[in-house]
Structures are given as C-alpha cells and as structure tokens.
Amino acid sequence: MSAPMEEEPSLVSKELLGDFIPENEKDFINLASYVTIITGAIVALILQFIRTPYGRYGSSSWGVLIPSRVAWLIQELPALFVPVYLIFCTDSLKRSATANQVLLSAFIVHYFQRALIYPCLIKGGKPTPFIPFFLALVYCTFNGYLQARFLLQYADYPNHWVLSPNFIIGLLLFGFGMFVNIHSDHVLRNLRKPGETGYKIPRGGMFEYVSGANFFGECLEWTGFAIACWSLPALAFCIFTWLNTGPRAFHHHQYYLEKFDDYPKERKALLPFLM
C-alpha cells in the first residue's frame, strides 16, 4: 500500500532537525514500516503465552511500578510531541496540503486526548511496571516520527484526495472508532461506585457486543486512518495495533468468563458477532 504519489524531500530545516533525519529517509521509513509489521507479529505470538503485563495483569516482576497516570502521560506524550515538533521544523510544501494537514491533525488529536486528557481521568488505576512502560514509550516516539515525517514530507496526495472514498470512509471510521474508544473508557472508569473495589461486568455501548470495546474502538480508529492515508506507514501502524491490542481483548474476555458466572455468553472478544 502506498500513497497516490510520493517524491523525494524538498526543503527541510536541517538547523532544527540536525542528525535526526536519515540521509535516505524514504527508504528508512519503508523499512521501518515493515519492521513494525514484523514486530507486531512477534508480539502477537508472544501474547499467546503471556498476558500484557500492565493493568490487572501487571506485577513488580516486570520492573519498578510507576503510578498509572504518570506512566500513561509520559509514554504517550512523544506521539504528540514528536509530530508537533516536526511540523515546526519541516519546510516542505506538503505541510500546507489539505489532505496532509487533516490526516496529521487526526493523529495529533488522538494523542492529545490519549496523552493529556486520558491520564487526568484515570481513577486509581493500577501502577504500570517499568518494562511495558518503556516499550510503549519507545514505540510512541518511533511511530510519532514515522507517521508525521511521511505525511509532512513524502505523502503527495492529489487535490481531489479529500473527496475520494478512501479519505471520506477512512475518516468516518477513524471518528467512530475514537468515539467508541473514549466512550468505552468512560464506561470502565465508572463501573465502581466510590469506595468499591474489584472488577465488574462492563455494560453499555459496544460492551454489549464485545469484551474489549475500548480495544475495538482503537483498532477501528487506525484502520480508518490507514484507509484515509493509503500509505505503508499507516498500514503498518494499523496492523501493529490489531496484533498488539487484539490479544489483550481476548485475555479480558477469558478473564470475564472465568470470573463471572453470569457474564453474557453472546458477547465476543474483539469483533462484534464474529470473534
């Protein structure tokens, strides 16, 4: 998958970027995208044998425990900061192209919510072990660079791309996925009344159909993003998201079935009506 048109970089503020930009950057971005897909497949394989060690599955055996709000803020912030930084130090004309602006803005809006709003809303979340925190930090930094640099420097969309089915359908999926993700997080935060502890069965919204409604929403977001961008980096991000969060949705589904005898048997793990 590739954007409709691509070309070599034009003007880049080397004074600001310094040695951050590889000499053969387009090839590097393509290679990094394939590495992302391969990494996602490896992660999915590993998660068949262990559960992602944070939240209800976290423990100190995976490193020193970091308060959940602090962990979420720090690990997600590079995916917001890096694109914003690159916007100000990239002189390419693509920076002013409508399609590029809208797509990069969608990415930034997601991580503005995820890095700055979501952590403030957490209610007594369990601490995050250092190892999964650090891996998330590295990935958010890397992926923020990957998506932003491609959209700022290499994705050369025709003027009519904003009216194309890819762009419109993709953004609609992205918006709906973000709504599902945010609403599902809201449901989870408000499961327990003040003073209550333990886990409860989530109900309402997409939780009526899947156990991992928040994960389904995020996967839908980046599927829509990949369709709208129609690029290798966005496709790689989409695939990695499904391979990384999908197993966690199945782990949650299994957890609920084992813990609650009255758990709705018609619910699926990740995809409504399917699985």
Side-chain angles (χ1 to χ4, degrees):
M1 181 183 291
S2 61
M5 298 174 60
E6 296 180 4
E7 63 182 36
E8 292 299 325
S10 51
L11 300 174
V12 180
S13 299
K14 289 294 185 182
E15 300 83 2
L16 292 173
L17 291 174
D19 297 328
F20 182 73
I21 301 299
E23 282 190 28
N24 210 356
E25 189 185 23
K26 188 166 71 172
D27 290 341
F28 173 79
I29 288 176
N30 288 335
L31 176 61
S33 298
Y34 288 119
V35 169
T36 298
I37 296 173
I38 294 171
T39 303
I42 295 172
V43 168
L45 179 61
I46 293 173
L47 293 179
Q48 301 306 306
F49 304 97
I50 65 171
R51 294 180 173 183
T52 314
Y54 71 91
R56 69 188 67 177
Y57 313 123
S59 74
S60 57
S61 61
W62 289 88
V64 62
L65 298 178
I66 304 170
S68 58
R69 286 186 178 182
V70 175
W72 276 104
L73 170 66
I74 296 176
Q75 73 187 31
E76 302 288 317
L77 195 57
L80 172 65
F81 174 77
V82 170
V84 171
Y85 173 77
L86 290 174
I87 287 173
F88 286 103
C89 58
T90 301
D91 297 327
S92 169
L93 294 177
K94 296 177 183 60
R95 189 178 68 172
S96 61
T98 301
N100 302 57
Q101 286 182 337
V102 172
L103 293 170
L104 187 54
S105 294
F107 185 88
I108 290 174
V109 165
H110 170 90
Y111 279 103
F112 179 87
Q113 193 278 332
R114 205 65 179 163
L116 300 181
I117 298 177
Y118 175 77
C120 297
L121 299 176
I122 293 175
K123 295 181 179 180
K126 290 189 174 182
T128 301
F130 178 79
I131 292 178
F133 157 77
F134 179 73
L135 292 176
L137 175 66
V138 171
Y139 180 74
C140 285
T141 305
F142 168 78
N143 191 54
Y145 157 78
L146 195 65
Q147 305 304 323
R149 278 299 293 166
F150 183 82
L151 287 171
L152 285 169
Q153 195 71 61
Y154 299 98
D156 192 9
Y157 297 101
N159 293 332
H160 59 79
W161 187 251
V162 294
L163 300 177
S164 68
N166 286 65
F167 191 82
I168 295 172
I169 293 173
L171 285 184
L172 287 175
L173 282 175
F174 178 88
F176 179 67
M178 187 169 184
F179 170 79
V180 170
N181 182 248
I182 293 174
H183 178 263
S184 300
D185 285 337
H186 171 77
V187 170
L188 292 173
R189 279 194 304 271
N190 292 279
L191 281 177
R192 292 187 291 267
K193 296 178 182 179
E196 289 184 330
T197 58
Y199 290 96
K200 290 186 174 182
I201 299 175
R203 301 185 186 277
M206 287 304 299
F207 280 113
E208 297 300 318
Y209 303 96
V210 292
S211 298
N214 49 333
F215 306 123
F216 169 70
E218 186 160 1
C219 288
L220 197 61
E221 274 189 82
W222 301 122
T223 298
F225 185 75
I227 293 172
C229 290
W230 208 247
S231 69
L232 179 59
L235 173 64
F237 183 24
C238 170
I239 292 174
F240 184 89
T241 301
W242 281 95
L243 293 175
N244 183 47
T245 62
R248 189 166 177 84
F250 281 92
H251 293 156
H252 279 17
H253 186 66
Q254 183 180 15
Y255 174 88
Y256 288 132
L257 288 173
E258 293 172 352
K259 186 174 181 63
F260 302 104
D261 293 333
D262 60 339
Y263 193 73
K265 300 300 187 292
E266 69 277 7
R267 284 191 197 179
K268 301 301 182 182
L270 181 63
L271 292 175
F273 311 112
L274 296 177
M275 64 178 185

